[in-house]
């Protein structure tokens, strides 16, 4: 047993799992607020990364500005997608809406390849120091920042839904749209806002991965890993999405460890999350945190 | 309560306010899904600072009337196809529900409809969603707790409250919006007689303390006519009788149908009653 490798992989799992968790939250946010299963979530991640890369390399603006511009872009983008594409679909069968988001995902994939090419592009270096020492361990700065960003976003979500007026309005809308309207909440604005937040936060995840690995269409893999994560967590639970993401990150790296040490089947890291998905669907279809309604009349 | 003096029925001038009423529903027709005609020329008026009761059998269209006023009709594929709803003299029919809430009309829907996966406090804060004076909100939450002290003790999810507590929360949530007019749909539903007393007692207090106006839909007619100053009785999408609450409470037909007086089994509808005369309003 190679314990350093094990430790390394578990840390990787935590970092990448936290990112899955962030994107899973974005997915759940859209699902809860507007009942849309967004198969284009991974493309939001990808678009965010490409747009930021574009601002940084083409216009050579400082990272902070490029990043903020990206967020602004994604907010507008999210609202536009909701208003133009999904608002007309309100009231249509679930399967039609799913087809629409699958279509969006394909269009965006192609569009990104057309606009930015098929090759991975590196981000310009952002941190002055490649690595920092934490408790005597040398850690790559990007990894550390990635974890901090993920945790920060999760804390932000928690605050938003617990303490802010719009956060409560969003939860109310998720619970019962008619009641929300009776309270004076505009559910149209809530839908648009959910998509805006989801797109912008997914972009943050995209930028983080882009800084680590470079940007390429492969980056939307996060969107695919999000499905095992949200199914594991329960489709409609934000906390479940986070934990599901972290568990998937750890499990896939554990699988990688087992594979590289003993099995040597190769590529176990890619498929194990989906085995988890199947097993969960068989034994616990509501996931770990999925809600069954409180029965009390 | 008004003094139970003159049993002035139908000639509605008796209670028709001299000044403009806070809410005036004029001859509205409501249709669901483009085909189901539910309200057929319904009219009523609610004067400022009073409780007006709207009574009627199941399916008469009471809830539909409230939804027509609050705009929630739109969420059920219903529409006002004729007539008008004037609030403070301004037309509000056709507005989005959120715009109507901002104007000062708040509906407490049938069945309480509190948000079960939130705490009491969060439900109350949501009631204040449209408020602009947000600094005032904590003080108003305290005010609601004064009317309903037991809500303060409940820190868990609202879904686990008892039926009576949920009703109190629903009313408290409405107060948080600081509405001018509250539309209350069957607040006594499913409550024990004792709780019904308590809830109505508080409703009356709210009106005298805060000056809100209430349009009250009730199955419990006895209770409703005790707290209201004026009442309307509707049947199949129309008002068939109206008058001061005292007069209605004395009325033989009302007694028989809604207040549990005896009577022949064959009398199934107001139409079969000799003393019943169809009110013709706007016709
Ligand atoms: N969303 C809807 N779509 C179609 N028809 C409806 C809808 N809501 C109500 N109705 C019909 O309108 C009529 C009046 O319903 P409404 O709920 O207003 O009655 P109500 O007087 O409140 O009755 P209850 O005392 O039972 O609450 C009923 O016949 C009902 O079937
Ligand atoms: Mg009703």
């Amino acid at each position: 047993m190679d314990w350093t490798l094990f430790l390394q992989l578990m840390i990787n799992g935590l970092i990448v799992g936290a990112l899955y968790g962030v994107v899973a939250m974005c997915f759940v946010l859209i699902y809860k607020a507007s009942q849309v299963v967004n198969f284009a979530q991974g493309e939001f991640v990808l678009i965010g990364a490409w747009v930021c890369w574009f601002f940084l390399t083409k216009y050579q603006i400082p990272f902070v500005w490029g990043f903020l511009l990206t967020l602004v872009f994604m907010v507008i983008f999210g609202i536009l997608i909701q208003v133009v594409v999904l608002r007309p679909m309100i009231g249509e069968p679930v399967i039609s809406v799913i087809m629409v988001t699958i279509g969006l995902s394909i269009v965006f994939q192609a569009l990104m390849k057309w606009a930015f090419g098929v090759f991975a592009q590196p981000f310009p270096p952002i941190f002055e120091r490649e690595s920092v020492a934490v408790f005597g361990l040398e850690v790559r700065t990007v990894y550390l920042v990635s974890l901090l960003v993920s945790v920060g976003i999760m804390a932000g979500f928690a605050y938003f839904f617990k303490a802010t007026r719009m956060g409560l309005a969003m939860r109310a809308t998720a619970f019962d749209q008619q009641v929300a309207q009776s309270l004076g909440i505009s559910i149209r604005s809530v839908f648009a806002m959910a998509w805006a937040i989801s797109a912008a936060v997914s972009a943050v995840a995209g930028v983080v991965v882009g800084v680590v690995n470079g940007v390429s269409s492969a980056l939307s893999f996060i969107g695919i890993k999000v499905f095992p994560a949200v199914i594991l967590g329960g489709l409609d639970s934000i906390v479940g999405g986070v934990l599901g993401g972290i568990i998937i990150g750890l499990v896939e790296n554990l699988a990688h460890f087992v594979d590289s040490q003993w099995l040597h089947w190769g590529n176990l890291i890619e498929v194990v999350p989906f085995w988890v998905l199947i097993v969960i669907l068989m034994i616990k279809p509501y996931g770990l945190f999925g809600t069954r309604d409180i029965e009390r009349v | 309560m008004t003094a139970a003096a003159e049993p002035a029925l139908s000639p509605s001038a008796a209670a028709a306010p001299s000044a403009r009423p806070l809410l005036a529903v004029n001859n509205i027709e409501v249709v669901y899904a483009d085909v189901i005609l539910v309200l057929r020329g319904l009219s009523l008026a609610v004067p400022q600072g009073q409780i007006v009761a709207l009574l009627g059998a199941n399916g008469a269209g009471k809830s539909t009337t409230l939804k027509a006023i609050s705009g929630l009709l739109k969420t059920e594929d219903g529409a006002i196809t004729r007539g008008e709803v004037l609030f403070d003299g301004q037309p509000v029919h056709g507005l989005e529900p959120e715009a109507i809430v901002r104007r000062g009309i708040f509906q407490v829907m049938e069945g309480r409809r509190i948000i079960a996966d939130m705490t009491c406090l969060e439900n109350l804060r949501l009631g204040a969603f449209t408020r602009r004076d947000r600094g005032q909100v904590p003080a108003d939450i305290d005010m609601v707790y004064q009317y309903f002290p037991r809500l303060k003790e409940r820190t868990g999810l609202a879904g686990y409250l008892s039926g009576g507590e949920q009703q109190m929360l629903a009313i408290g949530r409405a107060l948080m919006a600081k509405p001018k007019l509250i539309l209350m749909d069957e607040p006594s539903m499913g409550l024990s007689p004792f709780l019904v007393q308590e809830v109505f007692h508080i409703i009356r207090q709210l009106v005298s303390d805060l000056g809100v106006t209430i349009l009250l839909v009730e199955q419990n007619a006895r209770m409703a006519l005790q707290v209201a100053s004026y009442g309307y009785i509707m049947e199949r999408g129309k008002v068939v009788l109206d008058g001061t609450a005292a007069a209605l409470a004395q009325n033989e037909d009302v007694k028989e149908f809604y207040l549990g007086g005896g009577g022949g089994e064959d009398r199934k509808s107001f139409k079969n009653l000799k003393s019943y005369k169809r009110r013709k309003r706007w016709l």
Side-chain angles (χ1 to χ4, degrees), chain B residues 54-113:
Chain B
L54 180 59
L55 310 175
N58 290 116
K62 305 179 297 293
S63 299
T64 300
T65 307
L66 295 192
K67 285 180 209 151
I69 299 166
S70 69
L72 287 175
L73 211 52
K74 285 195 176 177
T75 65
E76 296 184 4
D77 194 18
I80 300 176
T81 49
R82 190 155 58 83
E84 57 179 8
V85 180
L86 300 179
F87 182 63
D88 248 349
Q90 302 290 317
V92 293
H93 51 277
L95 293 184
E96 291 294 321
E98 61 262 22
I100 295 179
V101 174
R102 279 173 205 281
R103 295 279 180 101
I105 300 180
F106 195 101
Q107 179 170 1
V108 179
M109 279 186 285
E110 198 172 339
R112 299 155 200 137
R113 309 285 289 270

Side-chain angles (χ1 to χ4, degrees), chain A residues 165-166 168-170 172-173 177 179-190, chain B residues 97-98 101-102 115 126 129-130:
Chain A
R165 184 172 156 273
M166 279 315 290
L168 285 179
M170 227 173 238
T173 307
Q177 291 182 6
V179 171
Q181 283 172 288
S182 84
L183 300 174
I185 295 164
S186 155
I187 59 170
R188 286 163 158 245
S189 333
V190 165
Chain B
E98 61 262 22
V101 174
R102 279 173 205 281
I115 296 180
L126 259 177
F129 182 80
T130 52

Side-chain angles (χ1 to χ4, degrees), chain B residues 183-195:
Chain B
L183 310 171
M184 260 187 216
D185 202 345
E186 302 202 28
S188 74
M189 188 203 266
L191 302 190
S192 71
F194 177 74
L195 263 181

